[in-house]
Amino acid sequence: MTNKEYIQRIENGLLEQRRRIESSKEAAAALIDSLGIRHLLIPMTEEEIKAAAEKRTLENKVCK
């Protein structure tokens, strides 16, 4: 394996790790939203809380 190939494998591995982290963040955000606890973790205005509740209600109706 040449030095260039070695560096390319490292870069590819780092990119894959980044993709996994991003998908994990998205999954965590979806879970937090589905449980309706985002306002406990992130400061939100009353309007944002109401909008999130409405969105969750709509998503629950679609899933059923």
Side-chain angles (χ1 to χ4, degrees):
M1 175 183 316
T2 67
N3 195 29
K4 186 175 181 177
E5 291 171 333
Y6 180 72
I7 291 171
Q8 186 63 46
R9 288 183 71 184
I10 291 173
E11 288 175 351
N12 291 344
L14 291 172
L15 289 172
E16 180 60 30
Q17 285 181 341
R18 185 176 190 172
R19 281 191 284 272
R20 288 181 187 168
I21 289 169
E22 291 300 318
S23 67
S24 295
K25 286 181 184 178
E26 292 170 3
L31 175 62
I32 289 168
D33 288 342
S34 70
L35 295 174
I37 59 172
R38 181 178 288 270
H39 66 284
L40 298 175
L41 303 172
I42 301 169
M44 296 173 70
T45 65
E46 286 294 321
E47 291 176 0
E48 291 172 324
I49 293 171
K50 288 179 184 177
E54 289 175 7
K55 180 180 176 186
R56 192 170 53 256
T57 300
L58 290 174
E59 289 174 350
N60 287 339
K61 287 181 182 178
V62 170
C63 291
K64 291 181 179 181

